[in-house]
Amino acid sequence: MISSVLKPAVTRLIEPVAGFALRIGLTPNMVTMIGAVGVLASAGYFYPREDYFIGTLFICFFALSDLFDGTMARISHQGASKWGGFLDSTIDRITDSAITIAILIPLIAADDKLSYLGLVTLVTGLLIPYIRAKAESFGIDCSVGIAERTERLVIILTAVGFEGLNVPYALAIGLWILAILGVITVVQRIKVVRVGLLTS
């Protein structure tokens, strides 16, 4: 939902920067990898130490690569490639999981029951794109869902950032929202696949 509303406008704004990156020799895949390494390093270093606010700032900065690489691929002479799309999708799964795992580490160490919610968000975060990919292998469009990747990323980073600012229950509220919306989205996509297979 957020992507469909904001992404076109944001893409227009970053096109000049994406064009400059191409002119200086960067490729979309290079930007994807730089962003991924930055997110992994930031999450792995700051979140286990419970430096939530500064860690979220770093992650948000490096996560912008997800906008730039796609725009660079679109405006480049070569255009988007299947390998680039595969790499970007795989990296998204790795970085999203790493963020959740990094949040889980101090929760598990403290025997905090919020860790169970974190595990639910980790599993649903992997299931949601998997169901879509599997559905598309059957020729079924399955992009529906109340909480796609952008929504989930915004929710978790907002919650963790506010937790770092000592806002009461920020992380708990964020994890509850993510867990509930994640389960709902999984069910929504399973229903779409079921209907699509029964009517095909």
Side-chain angles (χ1 to χ4, degrees):
M1 292 184 291
I2 293 176
S3 293
S4 61
V5 175
L6 295 180
K7 194 168 184 177
V10 173
T11 298
R12 286 194 296 272
L13 288 174
I14 67 174
E15 274 188 1
V17 181
F20 174 75
L22 288 169
R23 288 194 295 273
I24 65 173
L26 290 175
T27 67
N29 290 346
M30 287 169 62
V31 172
T32 298
M33 295 304 299
I34 291 169
V37 171
V39 170
L40 292 173
S42 300
Y45 180 80
F46 291 108
Y47 283 177
R49 292 168 172 78
E50 299 184 65
D51 293 329
Y52 292 132
F53 184 71
I54 187 68
T56 299
L57 291 180
F58 273 91
I59 289 171
C60 287
F61 173 78
F62 286 111
L64 290 175
S65 66
D66 200 42
L67 293 174
F68 280 99
D69 57 8
T71 303
M72 289 171 66
R74 183 174 56 81
I75 66 177
S76 67
H77 296 302
Q78 294 81 12
S81 68
K82 290 182 178 180
W83 165 247
F86 170 80
L87 180 66
D88 186 58
S89 179
T90 302
I91 291 297
D92 285 347
R93 305 290 81 76
I94 294 171
T95 54
D96 290 356
S97 298
I99 290 170
T100 305
I101 291 169
I103 294 167
L104 278 169
I105 290 172
L107 294 177
I108 293 172
D111 198 25
D112 192 323
K113 288 183 172 55
L114 283 179
S115 59
Y116 295 109
L117 289 176
L119 291 172
V120 173
T121 66
L122 179 63
V123 173
T124 56
L126 293 171
L127 277 175
I128 290 169
Y130 168 77
I131 294 170
R132 178 176 178 175
K134 190 67 176 178
E136 289 176 349
S137 73
F138 296 139
I140 300 170
D141 178 32
C142 192
S143 57
V144 301
I146 194 172
E148 295 188 74
R149 180 176 185 258
T150 302
E151 287 82 3
R152 297 196 309 275
L153 198 58
V154 168
I155 291 169
I156 191 61
L157 291 179
T158 300
V160 178
F162 279 124
E163 182 75 14
L165 293 174
N166 298 315
V167 175
Y169 307 112
L171 183 58
I173 292 170
L175 288 175
W176 270 108
I177 293 173
L178 273 178
I180 293 170
L181 296 185
V183 170
I184 291 173
T185 303
V186 167
V187 172
Q188 286 178 312
R189 293 195 171 186
I190 288 174
K191 288 177 66 177
V192 167
V193 175
R194 182 175 186 274
V195 171
L197 292 175
L198 289 176
T199 57
S200 61

